[in-house]
Amino acid sequence: MENYLEINKKSWNAKVEPHLKSDFYFVDEFLKGRTSLNSIELELLGDIKGKSILHLQCHFGQDSISLSRMGANVNGIDLSDKAIDTARELAQKCSTDTEFICSDVYNLPNVLDQKFDIVYTSYGTIGWLPDLEKWAGIINHFLKPEGKFIMAEFHPVVWMFDDDFTKVAYHYFNEKPIVETYEGTYADQSAPIVQEYVMWNHSLAEVLDNLIKKDLQLNVFREIDWSPYPCFRHVEEFETGKWRIPQFGNKIPLVYALIAQKK
């Protein structure tokens, strides 16, 4: 899939406008001060005032701006040029000094020369990357000594199922690229867009082993039986801001989160 970046950039560019209009991203409330960060990642982040943070795959920058509002010095990066243009507009409206760069993750060392206290990424990011060894190397490259990588991500068990969660349809392990066409978007199922995309499933072992190989020591690892987002079909909100798949209840993990520190 040599052209996966081109395919996925087109897909994410198409998502920007419907996402801005969706309740999922609550842009009006965000501009008035509501954070986009959830309790899962806030607990891992702790006090970040004065910290330098590199936010990988930031979409149109709500988390990046939220981190800036907490007192951090933040650089957000994303493949989508439309998303980055929107992120810059949002940062200006929010009066933050958040910096944004349009780049794919693997090319970032060629366009950014800086080291960070924290590298951060969250929710639906690594599935767009084919090579997690290279990904972990990028994280190591941008971290200062003793710097921390903080990540919250959907659990790979979730990606095994079909969209209606009626059967196991995909491999747990990274067997091959998943090339599909999707109508609508996770933020708005009725959005009038049809997109082709290329993704990869990554097992927990693939994630953790590659971080360890690149001299990142796992300090915290958690599996969580709910999602902070209603981005899957047929989910139920069992507590405010917490969703589960009804037929599974609390029997499977929907999210995992970790802190890994550069040795």
Side-chain angles (χ1 to χ4, degrees), residues 202-249:
H202 299 293
S203 69
L204 288 181
E206 188 182 358
V207 173
L208 299 179
D209 188 49
N210 281 299
L211 291 173
I212 292 167
K213 281 180 181 176
K214 298 302 179 180
D215 295 322
L216 291 159
Q217 177 177 300
L218 188 65
N219 290 347
V220 175
F221 180 77
R222 296 171 183 163
E223 293 176 294
I224 299 147
D225 62 9
W226 52 270
S227 167
Y229 299 106
C231 53
F232 306 114
R233 292 181 185 174
H234 316 303
V235 291
E236 283 185 346
E237 189 175 21
F238 69 97
E239 290 182 19
T240 302
K242 297 181 179 182
W243 282 267
R244 285 179 179 151
I245 300 159
Q247 62 266 41
F248 297 153

Short mmCIF file of all heavy atoms in Angstrom, two decimals, residues 202-249:
data_model
loop_
_atom_site.label_atom_id
_atom_site.label_comp_id
_atom_site.label_asym_id
_atom_site.label_seq_id
_atom_site.Cartn_x
_atom_site.Cartn_y
_atom_site.Cartn_z
N HIS A 202 -3.32 -3.54 15.26
CA HIS A 202 -2.08 -3.74 16.02
C HIS A 202 -2.40 -4.35 17.37
O HIS A 202 -3.16 -3.77 18.16
CB HIS A 202 -1.36 -2.40 16.22
CG HIS A 202 -0.96 -1.72 14.95
ND1 HIS A 202 0.01 -2.25 14.10
CD2 HIS A 202 -1.37 -0.57 14.36
CE1 HIS A 202 0.16 -1.44 13.07
NE2 HIS A 202 -0.66 -0.42 13.20
N SER A 203 -1.83 -5.51 17.63
CA SER A 203 -2.05 -6.17 18.92
C SER A 203 -1.34 -5.41 20.04
O SER A 203 -0.44 -4.60 19.79
CB SER A 203 -1.51 -7.61 18.86
OG SER A 203 -0.08 -7.59 18.77
N LEU A 204 -1.73 -5.70 21.27
CA LEU A 204 -1.05 -5.09 22.41
C LEU A 204 0.42 -5.46 22.42
O LEU A 204 1.29 -4.63 22.74
CB LEU A 204 -1.71 -5.52 23.73
CG LEU A 204 -3.08 -4.93 24.04
CD1 LEU A 204 -3.56 -5.46 25.39
CD2 LEU A 204 -3.04 -3.41 24.06
N ALA A 205 0.72 -6.71 22.09
CA ALA A 205 2.13 -7.14 22.08
C ALA A 205 2.94 -6.34 21.08
O ALA A 205 4.08 -5.96 21.35
CB ALA A 205 2.21 -8.63 21.75
N GLU A 206 2.36 -6.05 19.92
CA GLU A 206 3.06 -5.28 18.90
C GLU A 206 3.36 -3.87 19.40
O GLU A 206 4.45 -3.33 19.20
CB GLU A 206 2.23 -5.22 17.62
CG GLU A 206 2.95 -4.60 16.44
CD GLU A 206 2.08 -4.52 15.20
OE1 GLU A 206 0.92 -4.97 15.24
OE2 GLU A 206 2.57 -3.97 14.20
N VAL A 207 2.37 -3.26 20.08
CA VAL A 207 2.56 -1.92 20.63
C VAL A 207 3.66 -1.92 21.69
O VAL A 207 4.64 -1.17 21.63
CB VAL A 207 1.25 -1.39 21.24
CG1 VAL A 207 1.48 -0.07 21.96
CG2 VAL A 207 0.19 -1.22 20.16
N LEU A 208 3.51 -2.78 22.69
CA LEU A 208 4.41 -2.76 23.84
C LEU A 208 5.81 -3.22 23.47
O LEU A 208 6.81 -2.63 23.92
CB LEU A 208 3.84 -3.63 24.96
CG LEU A 208 2.47 -3.21 25.50
CD1 LEU A 208 2.00 -4.17 26.58
CD2 LEU A 208 2.49 -1.78 26.02
N ASP A 209 5.92 -4.26 22.66
CA ASP A 209 7.23 -4.77 22.29
C ASP A 209 8.05 -3.74 21.54
O ASP A 209 9.25 -3.58 21.78
CB ASP A 209 7.07 -6.04 21.45
CG ASP A 209 8.39 -6.74 21.20
OD1 ASP A 209 9.14 -6.96 22.17
OD2 ASP A 209 8.69 -7.07 20.03
N ASN A 210 7.40 -2.99 20.65
CA ASN A 210 8.14 -1.99 19.88
C ASN A 210 8.55 -0.81 20.74
O ASN A 210 9.63 -0.24 20.55
CB ASN A 210 7.33 -1.56 18.67
CG ASN A 210 7.41 -2.56 17.54
OD1 ASN A 210 8.49 -2.84 17.02
ND2 ASN A 210 6.28 -3.14 17.16
N LEU A 211 7.72 -0.40 21.69
CA LEU A 211 8.12 0.65 22.61
C LEU A 211 9.33 0.22 23.44
O LEU A 211 10.29 0.98 23.62
CB LEU A 211 6.96 1.02 23.54
CG LEU A 211 5.78 1.74 22.89
CD1 LEU A 211 4.64 1.89 23.89
CD2 LEU A 211 6.17 3.11 22.34
N ILE A 212 9.30 -1.02 23.92
CA ILE A 212 10.42 -1.55 24.72
C ILE A 212 11.69 -1.63 23.89
O ILE A 212 12.78 -1.28 24.36
CB ILE A 212 10.04 -2.93 25.30
CG1 ILE A 212 8.94 -2.77 26.36
CG2 ILE A 212 11.26 -3.62 25.91
CD1 ILE A 212 8.28 -4.08 26.76
N LYS A 213 11.57 -2.06 22.63
CA LYS A 213 12.73 -2.15 21.74
C LYS A 213 13.40 -0.79 21.54
O LYS A 213 14.62 -0.72 21.32
CB LYS A 213 12.30 -2.69 20.37
CG LYS A 213 12.10 -4.19 20.30
CD LYS A 213 11.68 -4.57 18.88
CE LYS A 213 11.45 -6.07 18.76
NZ LYS A 213 10.95 -6.42 17.40
N LYS A 214 12.63 0.27 21.61
CA LYS A 214 13.16 1.62 21.40
C LYS A 214 13.46 2.32 22.72
O LYS A 214 13.41 3.55 22.81
CB LYS A 214 12.17 2.44 20.56
CG LYS A 214 11.94 1.88 19.17
CD LYS A 214 13.23 1.77 18.36
CE LYS A 214 12.98 1.19 16.99
NZ LYS A 214 14.23 1.07 16.19
N ASP A 215 13.80 1.53 23.75
CA ASP A 215 14.28 2.06 25.03
C ASP A 215 13.25 2.89 25.78
O ASP A 215 13.59 3.86 26.45
CB ASP A 215 15.57 2.88 24.83
CG ASP A 215 16.72 2.02 24.35
OD1 ASP A 215 16.81 0.87 24.80
OD2 ASP A 215 17.50 2.49 23.51
N LEU A 216 11.99 2.49 25.65
CA LEU A 216 10.93 3.12 26.43
C LEU A 216 10.45 2.12 27.49
O LEU A 216 10.03 1.01 27.16
CB LEU A 216 9.77 3.54 25.52
CG LEU A 216 10.13 4.70 24.58
CD1 LEU A 216 9.19 4.74 23.40
CD2 LEU A 216 10.08 6.02 25.32
N GLN A 217 10.54 2.53 28.73
CA GLN A 217 10.20 1.65 29.85
C GLN A 217 8.75 1.86 30.25
O GLN A 217 8.31 2.97 30.53
CB GLN A 217 11.10 1.97 31.05
CG GLN A 217 10.77 1.15 32.30
CD GLN A 217 11.74 1.47 33.41
OE1 GLN A 217 12.94 1.28 33.26
NE2 GLN A 217 11.21 1.96 34.52
N LEU A 218 7.98 0.77 30.27
CA LEU A 218 6.56 0.85 30.60
C LEU A 218 6.40 1.09 32.10
O LEU A 218 6.80 0.27 32.91
CB LEU A 218 5.86 -0.44 30.18
CG LEU A 218 4.33 -0.45 30.28
CD1 LEU A 218 3.71 0.54 29.31
CD2 LEU A 218 3.81 -1.86 30.02
N ASN A 219 5.80 2.22 32.45
CA ASN A 219 5.57 2.57 33.85
C ASN A 219 4.13 2.34 34.29
O ASN A 219 3.88 2.00 35.45
CB ASN A 219 5.94 4.04 34.12
CG ASN A 219 7.42 4.28 34.04
OD1 ASN A 219 8.23 3.35 34.03
ND2 ASN A 219 7.82 5.55 33.96
N VAL A 220 3.19 2.59 33.37
CA VAL A 220 1.76 2.44 33.68
C VAL A 220 1.09 1.78 32.49
O VAL A 220 1.35 2.13 31.34
CB VAL A 220 1.09 3.82 33.94
CG1 VAL A 220 -0.41 3.66 34.13
CG2 VAL A 220 1.71 4.51 35.13
N PHE A 221 0.24 0.78 32.77
CA PHE A 221 -0.58 0.18 31.72
C PHE A 221 -1.95 -0.16 32.29
O PHE A 221 -2.05 -0.80 33.33
CB PHE A 221 0.07 -1.09 31.15
CG PHE A 221 -0.75 -1.72 30.06
CD1 PHE A 221 -0.75 -1.17 28.79
CD2 PHE A 221 -1.55 -2.82 30.31
CE1 PHE A 221 -1.53 -1.73 27.78
CE2 PHE A 221 -2.33 -3.38 29.31
CZ PHE A 221 -2.32 -2.83 28.04
N ARG A 222 -3.00 0.30 31.60
CA ARG A 222 -4.36 0.09 32.08
C ARG A 222 -5.26 -0.36 30.93
O ARG A 222 -5.11 0.10 29.80
CB ARG A 222 -4.93 1.38 32.68
CG ARG A 222 -4.18 1.84 33.91
CD ARG A 222 -4.60 3.21 34.37
NE ARG A 222 -3.79 3.62 35.52
CZ ARG A 222 -3.68 4.86 35.95
NH1 ARG A 222 -4.33 5.84 35.34
NH2 ARG A 222 -2.92 5.15 37.00
N GLU A 223 -6.20 -1.25 31.25
CA GLU A 223 -7.26 -1.63 30.32
C GLU A 223 -8.59 -1.20 30.94
O GLU A 223 -8.81 -1.39 32.13
CB GLU A 223 -7.24 -3.14 30.06
CG GLU A 223 -6.00 -3.59 29.30
CD GLU A 223 -5.94 -5.09 29.13
OE1 GLU A 223 -5.79 -5.80 30.14
OE2 GLU A 223 -6.03 -5.56 27.97
N ILE A 224 -9.46 -0.63 30.11
CA ILE A 224 -10.66 0.04 30.60
C ILE A 224 -11.87 -0.52 29.88
O ILE A 224 -11.86 -0.67 28.65
CB ILE A 224 -10.53 1.57 30.38
CG1 ILE A 224 -9.31 2.08 31.17
CG2 ILE A 224 -11.79 2.31 30.79
CD1 ILE A 224 -8.59 3.22 30.52
N ASP A 225 -12.94 -0.81 30.63
CA ASP A 225 -14.10 -1.50 30.06
C ASP A 225 -15.19 -0.55 29.57
O ASP A 225 -16.36 -0.92 29.51
CB ASP A 225 -14.68 -2.51 31.07
CG ASP A 225 -15.18 -1.86 32.35
OD1 ASP A 225 -15.25 -0.61 32.43
OD2 ASP A 225 -15.52 -2.61 33.30
N TRP A 226 -14.82 0.67 29.23
CA TRP A 226 -15.76 1.63 28.64
C TRP A 226 -15.00 2.58 27.72
O TRP A 226 -13.78 2.66 27.77
CB TRP A 226 -16.52 2.42 29.71
CG TRP A 226 -15.65 3.09 30.75
CD1 TRP A 226 -15.24 2.56 31.93
CD2 TRP A 226 -15.09 4.42 30.70
NE1 TRP A 226 -14.46 3.46 32.62
CE2 TRP A 226 -14.36 4.61 31.90
CE3 TRP A 226 -15.15 5.47 29.78
CZ2 TRP A 226 -13.68 5.79 32.18
CZ3 TRP A 226 -14.48 6.65 30.06
CH2 TRP A 226 -13.76 6.81 31.25
N SER A 227 -15.76 3.25 26.87
CA SER A 227 -15.19 4.24 25.95
C SER A 227 -15.68 5.63 26.33
O SER A 227 -16.86 5.79 26.67
CB SER A 227 -15.63 3.93 24.51
OG SER A 227 -15.34 5.03 23.64
N PRO A 228 -14.82 6.64 26.26
CA PRO A 228 -15.27 8.00 26.51
C PRO A 228 -15.98 8.63 25.32
O PRO A 228 -16.39 9.78 25.39
CB PRO A 228 -13.97 8.74 26.83
CG PRO A 228 -12.94 8.02 26.05
CD PRO A 228 -13.36 6.58 26.04
N TYR A 229 -16.11 7.86 24.22
CA TYR A 229 -16.73 8.38 23.01
C TYR A 229 -17.79 7.40 22.48
O TYR A 229 -17.56 6.18 22.47
CB TYR A 229 -15.68 8.57 21.91
CG TYR A 229 -14.61 9.55 22.27
CD1 TYR A 229 -13.32 9.11 22.58
CD2 TYR A 229 -14.87 10.92 22.30
CE1 TYR A 229 -12.33 10.02 22.91
CE2 TYR A 229 -13.88 11.83 22.63
CZ TYR A 229 -12.61 11.37 22.94
OH TYR A 229 -11.62 12.26 23.27
N PRO A 230 -18.91 7.92 21.97
CA PRO A 230 -19.92 7.07 21.34
C PRO A 230 -19.63 6.89 19.85
O PRO A 230 -20.49 7.13 19.00
CB PRO A 230 -21.21 7.88 21.55
CG PRO A 230 -20.76 9.30 21.50
CD PRO A 230 -19.37 9.33 22.09
N CYS A 231 -18.43 6.45 19.53
CA CYS A 231 -17.99 6.42 18.14
C CYS A 231 -18.23 5.07 17.47
O CYS A 231 -17.93 4.91 16.29
CB CYS A 231 -16.51 6.81 18.04
SG CYS A 231 -15.45 5.85 19.10
N PHE A 232 -18.76 4.11 18.22
CA PHE A 232 -19.12 2.82 17.64
C PHE A 232 -20.64 2.74 17.50
O PHE A 232 -21.37 3.44 18.19
CB PHE A 232 -18.61 1.68 18.52
CG PHE A 232 -17.15 1.75 18.82
CD1 PHE A 232 -16.70 1.97 20.12
CD2 PHE A 232 -16.21 1.60 17.82
CE1 PHE A 232 -15.35 2.05 20.41
CE2 PHE A 232 -14.85 1.68 18.10
CZ PHE A 232 -14.43 1.90 19.39
N ARG A 233 -21.09 1.87 16.64
CA ARG A 233 -22.53 1.70 16.46
C ARG A 233 -23.15 1.00 17.68
O ARG A 233 -22.51 0.15 18.30
CB ARG A 233 -22.81 0.88 15.20
CG ARG A 233 -22.46 1.60 13.91
CD ARG A 233 -22.80 0.72 12.71
NE ARG A 233 -22.37 1.35 11.47
CZ ARG A 233 -22.43 0.76 10.28
NH1 ARG A 233 -22.91 -0.46 10.19
NH2 ARG A 233 -22.01 1.39 9.19
N HIS A 234 -24.37 1.38 17.99
CA HIS A 234 -25.20 0.68 18.98
C HIS A 234 -24.66 0.75 20.40
O HIS A 234 -24.93 -0.13 21.22
CB HIS A 234 -25.37 -0.80 18.60
CG HIS A 234 -25.66 -1.03 17.15
ND1 HIS A 234 -26.73 -0.45 16.50
CD2 HIS A 234 -25.01 -1.77 16.20
CE1 HIS A 234 -26.72 -0.84 15.23
NE2 HIS A 234 -25.68 -1.62 15.02
N VAL A 235 -23.90 1.77 20.75
CA VAL A 235 -23.39 1.89 22.11
C VAL A 235 -24.45 2.48 23.04
O VAL A 235 -25.39 3.14 22.59
CB VAL A 235 -22.10 2.74 22.18
CG1 VAL A 235 -20.94 2.03 21.53
CG2 VAL A 235 -22.33 4.11 21.56
N GLU A 236 -24.29 2.23 24.33
CA GLU A 236 -25.17 2.78 25.36
C GLU A 236 -24.35 3.58 26.36
O GLU A 236 -23.25 3.16 26.75
CB GLU A 236 -25.89 1.65 26.12
CG GLU A 236 -27.03 1.04 25.38
CD GLU A 236 -27.76 0.01 26.23
OE1 GLU A 236 -27.22 -0.39 27.29
OE2 GLU A 236 -28.87 -0.40 25.84
N GLU A 237 -24.86 4.70 26.79
CA GLU A 237 -24.22 5.51 27.83
C GLU A 237 -24.73 5.03 29.18
O GLU A 237 -25.87 5.29 29.55
CB GLU A 237 -24.54 6.99 27.61
CG GLU A 237 -23.74 7.93 28.51
CD GLU A 237 -23.99 9.39 28.19
OE1 GLU A 237 -25.05 9.70 27.59
OE2 GLU A 237 -23.13 10.23 28.54
N PHE A 238 -23.87 4.32 29.92
CA PHE A 238 -24.31 3.75 31.20
C PHE A 238 -24.02 4.69 32.36
O PHE A 238 -24.61 4.57 33.43
CB PHE A 238 -23.67 2.39 31.45
CG PHE A 238 -22.18 2.43 31.70
CD1 PHE A 238 -21.68 2.41 32.99
CD2 PHE A 238 -21.29 2.49 30.64
CE1 PHE A 238 -20.32 2.44 33.23
CE2 PHE A 238 -19.92 2.54 30.87
CZ PHE A 238 -19.44 2.51 32.17
N GLU A 239 -23.08 5.60 32.19
CA GLU A 239 -22.83 6.72 33.09
C GLU A 239 -22.50 7.92 32.21
O GLU A 239 -22.12 7.76 31.06
CB GLU A 239 -21.66 6.45 34.04
CG GLU A 239 -21.92 5.41 35.10
CD GLU A 239 -20.72 5.23 36.02
OE1 GLU A 239 -19.85 6.13 36.06
OE2 GLU A 239 -20.62 4.17 36.67
N THR A 240 -22.62 9.10 32.75
CA THR A 240 -22.35 10.30 31.96
C THR A 240 -20.94 10.26 31.38
O THR A 240 -19.96 10.13 32.10
CB THR A 240 -22.51 11.57 32.81
OG1 THR A 240 -23.83 11.60 33.35
CG2 THR A 240 -22.28 12.82 31.97
N GLY A 241 -20.86 10.32 30.05
CA GLY A 241 -19.57 10.32 29.38
C GLY A 241 -18.89 8.98 29.28
O GLY A 241 -17.72 8.91 28.89
N LYS A 242 -19.63 7.88 29.56
CA LYS A 242 -19.05 6.53 29.49
C LYS A 242 -19.99 5.63 28.69
O LYS A 242 -21.16 5.49 29.03
CB LYS A 242 -18.84 5.95 30.89
CG LYS A 242 -17.84 6.73 31.74
CD LYS A 242 -17.65 6.07 33.10
CE LYS A 242 -16.63 6.82 33.94
NZ LYS A 242 -16.42 6.16 35.26
N TRP A 243 -19.44 5.02 27.62
CA TRP A 243 -20.25 4.19 26.73
C TRP A 243 -19.73 2.76 26.68
O TRP A 243 -18.54 2.51 26.79
CB TRP A 243 -20.24 4.77 25.32
CG TRP A 243 -21.13 5.96 25.13
CD1 TRP A 243 -22.43 5.96 24.70
CD2 TRP A 243 -20.80 7.33 25.35
NE1 TRP A 243 -22.92 7.23 24.65
CE2 TRP A 243 -21.95 8.10 25.04
CE3 TRP A 243 -19.65 7.99 25.80
CZ2 TRP A 243 -21.97 9.49 25.15
CZ3 TRP A 243 -19.68 9.37 25.91
CH2 TRP A 243 -20.82 10.10 25.59
N ARG A 244 -20.68 1.83 26.51
CA ARG A 244 -20.36 0.42 26.32
C ARG A 244 -21.20 -0.16 25.19
O ARG A 244 -22.23 0.39 24.82
CB ARG A 244 -20.62 -0.39 27.61
CG ARG A 244 -19.58 -0.18 28.70
CD ARG A 244 -19.95 -0.98 29.93
NE ARG A 244 -18.95 -0.83 30.99
CZ ARG A 244 -19.22 -0.91 32.29
NH1 ARG A 244 -20.46 -1.15 32.70
NH2 ARG A 244 -18.25 -0.77 33.17
N ILE A 245 -20.76 -1.30 24.68
CA ILE A 245 -21.51 -2.06 23.70
C ILE A 245 -22.47 -2.96 24.48
O ILE A 245 -22.01 -3.80 25.27
CB ILE A 245 -20.56 -2.88 22.82
CG1 ILE A 245 -19.59 -1.94 22.09
CG2 ILE A 245 -21.33 -3.73 21.82
CD1 ILE A 245 -18.33 -2.60 21.61
N PRO A 246 -23.79 -2.78 24.33
CA PRO A 246 -24.75 -3.41 25.24
C PRO A 246 -24.59 -4.92 25.41
O PRO A 246 -24.62 -5.44 26.53
CB PRO A 246 -26.11 -3.06 24.62
CG PRO A 246 -25.86 -1.85 23.82
CD PRO A 246 -24.45 -1.94 23.33
N GLN A 247 -24.38 -5.65 24.31
CA GLN A 247 -24.32 -7.10 24.42
C GLN A 247 -23.06 -7.59 25.10
O GLN A 247 -22.99 -8.73 25.54
CB GLN A 247 -24.48 -7.77 23.04
CG GLN A 247 -23.39 -7.44 22.03
CD GLN A 247 -23.77 -6.29 21.13
OE1 GLN A 247 -24.35 -5.31 21.59
NE2 GLN A 247 -23.45 -6.38 19.85
N PHE A 248 -22.05 -6.73 25.20
CA PHE A 248 -20.80 -7.12 25.86
C PHE A 248 -20.72 -6.59 27.29
O PHE A 248 -19.97 -7.13 28.11
CB PHE A 248 -19.59 -6.61 25.07
CG PHE A 248 -19.47 -7.19 23.69
CD1 PHE A 248 -18.85 -6.49 22.67
CD2 PHE A 248 -19.98 -8.44 23.40
CE1 PHE A 248 -18.72 -7.01 21.40
CE2 PHE A 248 -19.88 -8.99 22.12
CZ PHE A 248 -19.25 -8.27 21.12
N GLY A 249 -21.44 -5.53 27.57
CA GLY A 249 -21.38 -4.95 28.92
C GLY A 249 -19.96 -4.59 29.30
O GLY A 249 -19.22 -3.99 28.53
#
